[in-house]
Amino acid sequence: MKHRAADLGRRILCMQTYLQLCGNRELYLENCRRILEYNDIRIVVQTSELMLEIWGKGLQADSRSPESLLIHGEIQSIVLTPKGARHETTAQR
């Protein structure tokens, strides 16, 4: 119970990343810091804990609030890189 309360507290205080995936057509993201890259096949978002790389077709991002983002289109993959880990681009792999 304590663990769940701590997680809820972090989420409310914008410290924890929250993702909700609805099929392969919609991704809701809370507590994002900024969008690092945006085009119709790739969106890269930085949060306090992670770097998210969303790949797909016809991707679009809509802001619901300063800290939340709704990404829709055909989502093909999501890459999660922990903060502090080296982030490689596709060309570097």
Side-chain angles (χ1 to χ4, degrees):
M1 181 70 177
K2 287 182 184 180
H3 184 64
R4 290 181 69 189
D7 286 345
L8 180 60
R10 279 191 216 102
R11 185 172 159 209
I12 291 170
L13 294 172
C14 300
M15 296 172 60
Q16 186 177 33
T17 304
Y18 175 78
L19 299 169
Q20 182 178 3
L21 184 63
C22 300
N24 71 332
R25 304 297 290 166
E26 192 172 86
L27 172 70
Y28 177 69
L29 172 65
E30 281 184 7
N31 303 327
C32 55
R33 299 276 188 210
R34 61 185 164 153
I35 297 173
L36 301 175
E37 185 175 332
Y38 181 114
N39 58 52
D40 65 336
I41 62 168
R42 180 175 180 232
I43 298 175
V44 181
V45 178
Q46 180 181 353
T47 72
S48 60
E49 305 170 318
L50 301 167
M51 178 99 52
L52 280 82
E53 190 174 0
I54 300 101
W55 288 90
K57 294 180 184 174
L59 297 178
Q60 295 180 349
D62 296 319
S63 179
R64 298 293 183 214
S65 74
E67 297 85 25
S68 69
L69 198 60
L70 179 65
I71 298 172
H72 49 92
E74 184 181 328
I75 299 170
Q76 296 173 335
S77 69
I78 302 169
V79 179
L80 306 171
T81 306
K83 185 177 179 180
R86 183 169 178 204
H87 179 70
E88 296 181 357
T89 62
T90 306
Q92 293 172 327
R93 290 180 193 165

